[in-house]
Amino acid sequence: MQREQQAVEGNRISNWMMFLLAAACGLIVANLYYAQTLVGPIHVALGLSSTTAGFIVTLTQIGYVVGLLFIVPISDIIENRRLMIVSLIITVCALLVAAFAPNATLFLTASLFIGVGSVVAQILVPYATYLASEEQRGRVVGNVMSGLLLGIMFARPLASFITSIWGWQAVFIMSAIVLTLLTILLSRALPERKPVPTVSYNKLILSLGTLFKQTPALRRRALYQACLFGAFSLFWTVVPLRLADDFGMSQQGIALFALVGVGGAIAAPVAGRLADKGWSKGLTGLAMVIAALSFLVIYIFQSHSTAALILLFISAITLDMAVSGNLVLGQRVIYSLGSEARGRLNGLFMSIFFIGGAIGSSLGGWSYALGGWNLSALIGVILPVLALLYFFTEKETSGDVRKKQNG
């Protein structure tokens, strides 16, 4: 409690703690994405039909949204370290059940709990802001989020490579081992944070609707990111199909292509530092423009040439930069709204834009089946443009003006 009080009073978070929180976020959130490239071997091994196989990813996502709405808000009323440790233990158990599940029903149930437990990543991010002083909050969020984004981007190719060597079960077993070690480390390294509960759990959950209604900055930032993350999810749903159909890439080649997106994670810490100087609004608009242009270029140039493939590589990087940068900008704004509701605000923000990502994935599959790459890329242009049109209605905050004047 004393350490938390010191952090709230303005102690600076150490580089070691920042690295630990970033690495933890990446390792935890990766569990949401491992199965995306493993649907083929898993549904064959468990006897799932092609239609039912989609539930492998969908149930994990549903579990994550459930956790965002019903577990992350609890961080506003109970001790955070204990909540994270219990959730991680649930995740480890679910991973082991998934690895050794004898039938599809047990595996799908485990997938749901993997999603629920993985929301620890979204407890760690606001937790990091409690350890940071006000002037370094944007940098801390940026660095921690870059770890989370690297986990998202490395998960797919890493799962593919491990599966090609040891089989898909090894992915879940290895993740369970890593998370067990991480749980032990976090239980020893993290200081306690005991928020003072002001409401019951029932009132806490009911307050989510009130917070959403009464916090225009939350609604705006969540919708911005929902549009951009929708475009991001659409791209990564459809681009493997284009690479296979139009460029004849193997599954291993597609996994290597997925590594390209890792370069986009560099935008997160940069955006955080610039946000600390008061440039949030300008950078938000820039992120939307970059996302729209990333799709526009690959919509215009749709040949099967080497140049078109190079443009796909470039667009993957710039799109990931736009999405990761805007995510940090949005979270910094939300974490400045009030410490007593930070867990609930983050849970709402993440669940809304995660739903946007799910919609983007669905649009990607539907559009590619209906109109091929042409229609998918066009929808990819439209999503960030919609965010940009909404962005033009935003007024610059006085905080940003002050920081520019002082910076």
Side-chain angles (χ1 to χ4, degrees):
M1 185 67 178
Q2 183 179 3
R3 275 183 286 187
E4 184 205 355
Q5 187 64 38
Q6 290 173 342
V8 171
E9 290 173 354
N11 275 7
R12 297 179 67 84
I13 187 172
S14 68
N15 289 332
W16 151 247
M17 181 61 71
M18 204 182 311
F19 172 79
L20 174 61
L21 295 174
C25 280
L27 292 170
I28 294 166
V29 81
N31 289 287
L32 296 173
Y33 298 92
Y34 289 139
Q36 287 189 342
T37 56
L38 306 181
V39 170
I42 290 174
H43 96 267
V44 170
L46 298 178
L48 287 167
S49 67
S50 298
T51 304
T52 313
F55 285 109
I56 294 171
V57 176
T58 302
L59 281 173
T60 307
Q61 294 174 335
I62 290 172
Y64 194 62
V65 172
V66 169
L68 287 169
L69 292 175
F70 296 102
I71 293 180
V72 171
I74 303 177
S75 64
D76 287 336
I77 60 174
I78 72 170
E79 202 279 304
N80 282 194
R81 185 177 63 184
R82 185 182 307 162
L83 176 62
M84 289 187 278
I85 298 307
V86 171
S87 298
L88 283 173
I89 291 172
I90 291 172
T91 309
V92 170
C93 293
L95 286 166
L96 291 174
V97 170
F100 298 104
N103 56 64
T105 301
L106 194 57
F107 178 87
L108 292 173
T109 303
S111 297
L112 180 70
F113 281 96
I114 289 171
V116 171
S118 295
V119 295
V120 172
Q122 296 309 324
I123 300 174
L124 280 168
V125 179
Y127 176 88
T129 67
Y130 287 103
L131 303 181
S133 58
E134 173 62 29
E135 65 271 13
Q136 66 170 171
R137 185 164 291 156
R139 183 169 70 89
V140 169
V141 172
N143 287 338
V144 173
M145 285 306 300
S146 65
L148 184 145
L149 290 164
L150 284 171
I152 292 173
M153 294 169 186
F154 272 118
R156 300 178 186 92
L158 182 62
S160 293
F161 287 131
I162 292 175
T163 300
S164 67
I165 301 173
W166 295 298
W168 64 267
Q169 292 93 339
V171 176
F172 294 93
I173 294 170
M174 292 174 71
S175 182
I177 294 171
V178 169
L179 287 195
T180 299
L181 297 175
L182 179 65
T183 301
I184 295 170
L185 179 58
L186 292 178
S187 67
R188 296 177 178 274
L190 295 183
E192 286 188 343
R193 181 199 164 239
K194 295 180 179 178
V196 179
T198 56
V199 293
S200 66
Y201 178 71
N202 289 338
K203 290 183 177 178
L204 187 80
I205 298 302
L206 291 174
S207 71
L208 292 175
T210 303
L211 274 176
F212 181 76
K213 186 183 298 183
Q214 297 179 351
T215 315
L218 167 65
R219 295 196 303 272
R220 182 172 289 276
R221 285 288 166 177
L223 289 172
Y224 289 168
Q225 191 63 20
C227 288
L228 265 63
F229 195 61
F232 173 89
S233 298
L234 182 148
F235 179 88
W236 287 106
T237 298
V238 175
V239 79
L241 301 174
R242 172 151 161 77
L243 291 172
D245 295 343
D246 297 342
F247 298 98
M249 277 197 181
S250 64
Q251 197 63 38
Q252 195 168 34
I254 293 170
L256 289 171
F257 179 90
L259 289 173
V260 173
V262 173
I266 63 172
V270 174
R273 287 180 174 86
L274 292 176
D276 285 340
K277 297 180 180 180
W279 295 101
S280 293
K281 183 175 182 181
L283 290 171
T284 299
L286 179 62
M288 296 169 185
V289 170
I290 290 174
L293 289 176
S294 298
F295 269 103
L296 184 61
V297 169
I298 54 180
Y299 171 73
I300 294 172
F301 299 98
Q302 295 190 36
S303 68
H304 300 174
S305 65
T306 302
L309 181 59
I310 292 172
L311 285 175
L312 271 180
F313 274 85
I314 296 172
S315 293
I317 296 171
T318 55
L319 179 62
D320 288 2
M321 288 178 67
V323 175
S324 61
N326 191 68
L327 176 57
V328 170
L329 296 171
Q331 287 191 297
R332 192 192 188 284
V333 170
I334 286 165
Y335 295 154
S336 301
L337 296 176
S339 60
E340 70 283 351
R342 199 168 285 164
R344 281 168 286 168
L345 290 168
N346 186 59
L348 279 169
F349 173 71
M350 296 299 295
S351 59
I352 291 167
F353 96 67
F354 201 83
I355 290 170
I359 292 172
S361 296
S362 299
L363 284 174
W366 168 81
S367 61
Y368 193 82
L370 185 67
W373 178 256
N374 188 62
L375 181 58
S376 298
L378 181 60
I379 295 174
V381 174
I382 291 171
L383 288 173
V385 168
L386 290 175
L388 189 61
L389 291 174
Y390 184 39
F391 168 75
F392 288 144
T393 68
E394 179 182 344
K395 295 180 180 179
E396 189 166 35
T397 64
S398 58
D400 267 3
V401 172
R402 270 198 313 274
K403 286 178 181 178
K404 287 181 185 177
Q405 290 172 345
N406 296 333

